[in-house]
Amino acid sequence: MSVLSRLLARATPARAVPPPRAAAPAPRVLEVVHEGVAHPVRLKRVAAARRFTLRVRSADGTAVLTMPPRASLRSARDFAERNAGWIGARLAALPERIAMLPGAVVPLRGVDHGIVLDPTALRRVQPGRGPDGGAVLRVSPRAPDPAAAVLHFLAAEARADLAAAVARHAAAVGRPVARITLRDTRSRWGSCSSRGALNFSWRLILAPPPVLDYLAAHEVAHLVHMDHSEDFWRVTRRLAPHTDEAEAWLKRHGPGLHRYGPGR
């Protein structure tokens, strides 16, 4: 064994150095209290933000604090706490969420339907008329989760109506559609990808049929023009002459469609 080898063999092994501890992830939500009620506030860092801004989304009752990228969490908390009264007031002014359970009323194609348990229902959810002649959704007691059954029914109806409207409009412009996907989007009612995939909110089935038809025409028109140019709107209005009326309805009543679903 060489001298170097003997020295290495006799050397005391170096003590392992633990890796540096990772920094705790920054919280994404903080809480503020107003009149004894705690309200969660979601933090959103935005590169272009120059100041703190607060908003309460009517779609889901979420308070969002937008902050500059280098702002401290302490500053964010101080700002939110100073505006706790405003947050509480805005949240209190929002309409209550409506769970899709027996006893509730939910619109279907713009017509209010009462949700009722009915042992005679042939399917888990079946539209019909109540004793007073009003529109109802009959839910079978065999459905293990009535709210989920109603949601599944509404989504299936939305898919059928949107598929028919999209097929009609796509044939009119001579463009293929890759696929149709339903989602529960908050910021938009529909979208069109560059590959011809169309996405829609299932909640359009809650609106009057001309509104759903307009959204189908709007996204199909994007298969021709992937912008909002005058040419795009010309195609949209040719497919859906009721475009302006539908846009006005969505602006006025669209946020209210997000009330239906699990309670907050």
Side-chain angles (χ1 to χ4, degrees):
M1 180 180 294
S2 66
V3 174
L4 178 59
S5 298
R6 287 196 299 271
L7 289 173
L8 289 175
R10 295 174 183 174
T12 302
R15 181 175 297 176
V17 178
R21 182 177 297 177
R28 295 184 178 180
V29 178
L30 55 82
E31 280 192 348
V32 297
V33 178
H34 175 62
E35 296 184 348
V37 180
H39 300 296
V41 179
R42 188 168 69 85
L43 302 179
K44 182 179 180 182
R45 291 187 184 272
V46 176
R50 295 294 178 265
R51 57 189 177 88
F52 292 110
T53 56
L54 266 172
R55 65 189 175 100
V56 172
R57 299 191 306 196
S58 59
D60 58 4
T62 301
V64 180
L65 171 55
T66 300
M67 52 192 297
R70 296 183 179 275
S72 69
L73 292 175
R74 173 174 290 185
S75 297
R77 180 176 295 277
D78 289 344
F79 182 84
E81 290 178 347
R82 288 198 304 273
N83 290 278
W86 181 88
I87 295 171
R90 289 297 300 270
L91 289 173
L94 293 178
E96 288 296 320
R97 302 278 296 178
I98 298 175
M100 293 183 288
L101 293 170
V105 176
V106 60
L108 170 61
R109 299 184 179 94
V111 177
D112 284 344
H113 284 62
I115 302 175
V116 297
L117 280 178
D118 186 350
T120 67
L122 301 178
R123 298 187 297 275
R124 289 193 173 185
V125 179
Q126 180 178 343
R129 293 286 171 182
D132 61 352
V136 297
L137 293 178
R138 296 193 178 102
V139 181
S140 170
R142 298 186 299 275
D145 185 341
V150 172
L151 176 58
H152 179 80
F153 168 80
L154 293 173
E157 294 294 297
R159 181 175 294 279
D161 285 14
L162 284 164
V166 165
R168 185 175 69 256
H169 294 314
V173 298
R175 297 297 174 92
V177 175
R179 68 178 181 275
I180 297 175
T181 303
L182 294 188
R183 296 176 179 171
D184 192 8
T185 51
R186 300 291 180 178
S187 59
R188 59 175 63 184
W189 297 106
S191 63
C192 174
S193 76
S194 58
R195 296 185 178 182
L198 306 185
N199 300 300
F200 296 97
S201 168
W202 68 265
R203 295 177 185 273
L204 290 173
I205 196 63
L206 307 178
V211 175
L212 180 146
D213 183 75
Y214 155 67
L215 262 299
H218 183 113
E219 301 311 331
V220 166
H222 278 310
L223 298 174
V224 183
H225 301 286
M226 285 295 293
D227 52 33
H228 285 98
S229 62
E230 291 184 6
D231 289 337
F232 162 82
W233 286 110
R234 200 160 19 248
V235 173
T236 301
R237 288 189 167 86
R238 176 166 60 85
L239 297 174
H242 47 279
T243 287
D244 292 340
E245 294 83 353
E247 284 270 1
W249 191 96
L250 282 170
K251 184 176 182 179
R252 183 175 182 181
H253 302 288
L257 299 184
H258 291 283
R259 293 189 299 155
Y260 301 94
R264 62 170 182 263

